[in-house]
Amino acid sequence: MKLCFYFVLLDAAAASAAIEKRIMGSESCKSNRQYHVQIKSTQGGKSCGGALLNTRWVITASHCAEQEVKLKFALNLKWYQKPLKITVTKNEQTIPIKQQFTFKDEEGKAHDIMLIKLSKDVPPQLPTISYDKTGCTRPEKHANVEIGGMGPKKAGGKPVNKVTCATTQISQCGENDKPNSNYNSDETTVMCGFKPGVESCFGDAGSAVEYEGKLHGLIVSQPVDNCAQHIVMLDICHYIEWMEKTMKENS
């Protein structure tokens, strides 16, 4: 991401510290997360992540857009074994509000999850992330999930120019571990992650939560002044039917 990563070195040897780094994910994503999309408001003030589902659709958190935004693709392809010859203009698209679809429940309340329809297809060679269309189940408590984004290295910093990764663990959500108050949520849609030394910062929201190589959630934590040690995520399983329907009806 960058997630905000910091390490507490207790009397550990250098070798142990190196292992800790790999566990905490302070390094770049290398060949992973090539589906990552950077999302920024054209008016400024918003910086988020997203995930490319196919050549025409991106998924992110609702609060990351809901206004005209610029999307950038192929941010991590320098690690790709066969580099793609894609021009800068093909890597960027400006998306109007009319192409942004926020989930609303039966009561008409918005949830912090959105599908963005691209104005034109991106090259089919760009990597995408898959998800379980049937039989999707939430990762169990203590399961390791992978997160990543382009948030700053520390609270108050600027988003970085590369995608970085970390691992966190599914944990019990606290009373205040919820999406932004503008969006509806409950225990059936929200899951949380916690691991010492791993935090999400401004710029990481909307980024994919991976479990066993597939999309299983989105980060919705969006701290501004401080980074979030308890990372709030939406469980993607609750929204699969809506995702499939939305993309089909607006193809």
Side-chain angles (χ1 to χ4, degrees):
M1 293 174 168
K2 193 99 183 167
L3 296 151
C4 246
F5 307 117
Y6 60 86
F7 305 102
V8 180
L9 301 179
L10 298 176
D11 294 327
S16 297
I19 293 174
E20 190 73 359
K21 274 189 172 184
R22 289 195 293 273
I23 292 174
M24 296 302 182
S26 65
E27 299 176 350
S28 68
C29 293
K30 296 187 178 179
S31 61
N32 296 324
R33 291 195 173 254
Q34 295 174 5
Y35 57 78
H36 185 82
V37 180
Q38 184 184 55
I39 301 173
K40 287 189 174 184
S41 167
T42 58
Q43 300 175 2
K46 289 188 178 184
S47 179
C48 287
L52 188 64
L53 298 177
N54 52 53
T55 58
R56 185 54 68 101
W57 291 91
V58 167
I59 191 166
T60 187
S62 297
H63 77 262
C64 289
E66 297 180 328
Q67 58 183 266
E68 186 180 78
V69 290
K70 178 177 285 187
L71 275 59
K72 290 186 178 182
F73 311 91
L75 297 167
N76 203 36
L77 283 185
K78 64 181 180 180
W79 295 98
Y80 201 57
Q81 292 182 353
K82 296 180 179 179
L84 304 177
K85 295 181 180 180
I86 303 174
T87 64
V88 173
T89 55
K90 290 184 178 180
N91 282 358
E92 299 181 3
Q93 291 190 30
T94 299
I95 307 297
I97 295 179
K98 66 180 182 179
Q99 291 170 214
Q100 303 169 17
F101 302 84
T102 289
F103 175 90
K104 293 185 178 180
D105 57 30
E106 294 179 353
E107 297 178 357
K109 296 179 179 179
H111 291 212
D112 201 3
I113 181 172
M114 168 185 286
L115 286 169
I116 294 178
K117 183 181 179 181
L118 303 180
S119 298
K120 56 184 178 181
D121 286 354
V122 295
Q125 300 96 328
L126 285 183
T128 59
I129 187 169
S130 62
Y131 54 91
D132 289 323
K133 297 181 180 179
T134 59
C136 183
T137 57
R138 178 181 300 197
E140 296 182 359
K141 188 176 180 181
H142 303 307
N144 288 326
V145 295
E146 295 178 5
I147 49 181
M150 301 178 72
K153 295 181 179 179
K154 60 182 179 179
K158 295 182 179 180
V160 295
N161 60 1
K162 64 179 181 179
V163 186
T164 56
C165 290
T167 298
T168 190
Q169 291 184 337
I170 298 298
S171 63
Q172 183 71 35
C173 292
E175 184 178 345
N176 296 321
D177 293 333
K178 298 177 181 179
N180 184 291
S181 59
N182 293 331
Y183 302 97
N184 192 44
S185 66
D186 57 37
E187 64 276 4
T188 65
T189 61
V190 175
M191 59 185 185
C192 298
F194 173 78
K195 192 173 186 178
V198 177
E199 301 182 350
S200 65
C201 299
F202 176 79
D204 293 329
S207 299
V209 178
E210 273 191 54
Y211 178 61
E212 296 184 340
K214 293 185 177 182
L215 176 67
H216 268 266
L218 295 173
I219 294 175
V220 294
S221 299
Q222 183 69 311
V224 178
D225 298 324
N226 298 302
C227 295
Q229 200 170 42
H230 292 268
I231 303 170
V232 182
M233 306 170 278
L234 284 195
D235 178 10
I236 205 73
C237 297
H238 184 80
Y239 303 97
I240 299 295
E241 184 177 346
W242 165 78
M243 291 165 58
E244 292 295 297
K245 181 179 180 181
T246 300
M247 288 187 286
K248 182 177 180 180
E249 292 181 349
N250 295 279
S251 59

